[in-house]
Amino acid sequence: MQIEIIETPSLGDRSYLVHDDREALVVDPQRDIDRVLEAAERAGVTITAVAETHIHNDYVTGGHALAQQVGATYYVNAEDEVSFERHGIRDGEEFAVGSLTVRALSTPGHTFTHLSYVVTPADGSEPAVFTGGSLLFGSTGRPDLLGPDHTEALAHHQYDSAHRLARELPDETRIMPTHGFGSFCSATQTAGDSSTIGAERQQNPVMHQERDQWLAELYEGLAAYPAYYRHMAPANASGPSAAVLERPAVADREVIADALAAGHWVVDLRSRRAFAEGHVEGTISIDLEGQFATYLGWLIPWETPLVLLGQDADQVDEAVRELSRIGIEETLAGHATGSPSDWTDRAVQSFPQATFAQLRDVRHHREVTIVDVRQRAEWEDGHLEGAVNLPLTQMGDLRQGELVAGLDPRAELWVHCAGGFRASVAASLLARAGHRVVAIDDGFDNAANSGLAITP
């Protein structure tokens, strides 16, 4: 049995191509199915089955489109209410993919209808279980994405499902989760890059903690998740088409100026350093090197027209691909490449970047306001004395020229996060609103090392 991992780091997810050198199963494919088709072609295999572990909340699936294109059987839980034809699979059902045997196991917890798939080679060698958002590396999928009314029931299901997998599968079974590599679908930070059932017995709290203790720690660790998630399940239940990866129309200076005047989002894809050094007034920095689609999808008011600015066509193409994975296509209103002087007739804007050591030195000479844009749970673990907590994830509705209530409009805002990516996005939003900003491009660990006071 061969397993090829198809990673999507920006969303923290994995898809899988599983085959016996002749026929292949695809598990939880992302919407840009060209990557899956290329992997199958390289391996010289025919895709005969596509399986979903659950109706996804963090991306638009490519499963329906892939199965239609290659003529594969599409396996989706029979209990899921969907508007397309599929093979409705149930707990315990088996099917063959070449010489491989695939068995569905009901593992509710991330959703009520969640399935895992156990794949066993004909020679009886070690099996693999594709666990989606159930059992992850050192963690589990979060149980709160269907709303607070269902969280408690799903959390109990998640505990039981993890123990079912441990009870029914041998220790050598390889675990192949979809989530847990930076995805907000993970309940807690995951550990490592590979694992087995036996390893999870030792390292995963869900395996060795009593139910009540595990539940208490689970609930305490559940942080905010991206706002765009609420649009994903309905899209997936409707049988989405394959991604459209064409660039939107070219936007000239007039189109960009009109978009900004209309309150549309004009997003600069270049590095956060390049943005700080020079950008078009009113544009928003979301560096492609970070979790681009996650944070753009989290922040942008849904269905807002969007113009993309990149240093070259490759950056724009990458952004279009990323956005297709979360269903942002029809609102793409244009793109431009080059540099800020190519995009505006007005003066190019800039703001400083700094380190925590520079913040320490500046505070000896003048008063500044420190804005911590991390999530509340991060803040509560420790923050700079005197800082204001304004989570980035709450700043999506901040409009151009609209100052933030509670922040002195005359103050110089020194904006930081844990590493620099979120600070850059937040600084651009605050600058767009009319604040004077300095973006701290530094790791939060360096704050204490620089002599700044940290308080719980």
Side-chain angles (χ1 to χ4, degrees), residues 84 117 174 220 369 373 390:
F84 52 85
Y117 296 93
R174 288 176 288 172
E220 185 178 353
T369 298
V373 299
L390 181 62

Side-chain angles (χ1 to χ4, degrees), residues 124-142:
S125 57
E126 63 183 26
V129 58
F130 296 83
T131 55
S134 185
L135 186 62
L136 312 183
F137 299 157
S139 183
T140 64
R142 62 192 300 164

Side-chain angles (χ1 to χ4, degrees), residues 13-183:
D13 290 323
R14 288 179 172 179
S15 304
Y16 298 93
L17 179 77
V18 193
H19 64 85
D20 64 354
D21 294 324
R22 295 183 297 108
E23 294 187 22
L25 161 71
V26 177
V27 181
D28 290 347
Q30 296 269 332
R31 194 178 184 196
D32 48 332
I33 61 174
D34 57 318
R35 296 187 297 161
V36 179
L37 294 169
E38 289 168 4
E41 184 176 4
R42 286 194 304 269
V45 296
T46 301
I47 298 170
T48 59
V50 179
E52 304 282 9
T53 57
H54 58 294
I55 300 295
H56 302 282
N57 286 290
D58 64 331
Y59 65 85
V60 178
T61 182
H64 180 259
L66 177 62
Q68 285 196 319
Q69 182 164 331
V70 301
T73 303
Y74 190 30
Y75 294 92
V76 178
N77 195 316
E79 301 301 320
D80 282 319
E81 296 182 4
V82 297
S83 61
F84 52 85
E85 292 186 8
R86 88 292 198 189
H87 179 102
I89 191 167
R90 299 181 185 276
D91 179 47
E93 184 177 341
E94 293 186 353
F95 59 92
V97 177
S99 62
L100 306 176
T101 300
V102 185
R103 177 165 59 102
L105 288 180
S106 177
T107 49
H110 192 50
T111 67
F112 284 105
T113 56
H114 191 284
L115 296 169
S116 296
Y117 296 93
V118 182
V119 183
T120 305
D123 62 7
S125 57
E126 63 183 26
V129 58
F130 296 83
T131 55
S134 185
L135 186 62
L136 312 183
F137 299 157
S139 183
T140 64
R142 62 192 300 164
D144 59 329
L145 299 183
L146 301 187
D149 291 345
H150 303 297
T151 299
E152 183 177 358
L154 285 168
H156 281 277
H157 283 313
Q158 194 71 293
Y159 185 87
D160 292 334
S161 291
H163 284 262
R164 180 188 185 187
L165 290 169
R167 183 174 62 251
E168 296 191 14
L169 300 177
D171 281 354
E172 65 270 19
T173 306
R174 288 176 288 172
I175 297 173
M176 300 289 171
T178 300
H179 304 313
F181 311 97
S183 169

Side-chain angles (χ1 to χ4, degrees), residues 1 50-51 55 57 64 112 127 131 154 158 175 185 192 198 221 257 284 286 292 296 325 357 368 379 419 444:
M1 176 170 62
V50 179
I55 300 295
N57 286 290
H64 180 259
F112 284 105
T131 55
L154 285 168
Q158 194 71 293
I175 297 173
C185 281
I284 299 165
I286 308 184
F292 169 76
L296 193 150
R325 294 169 179 156
V368 301
W379 162 273
F444 187 65

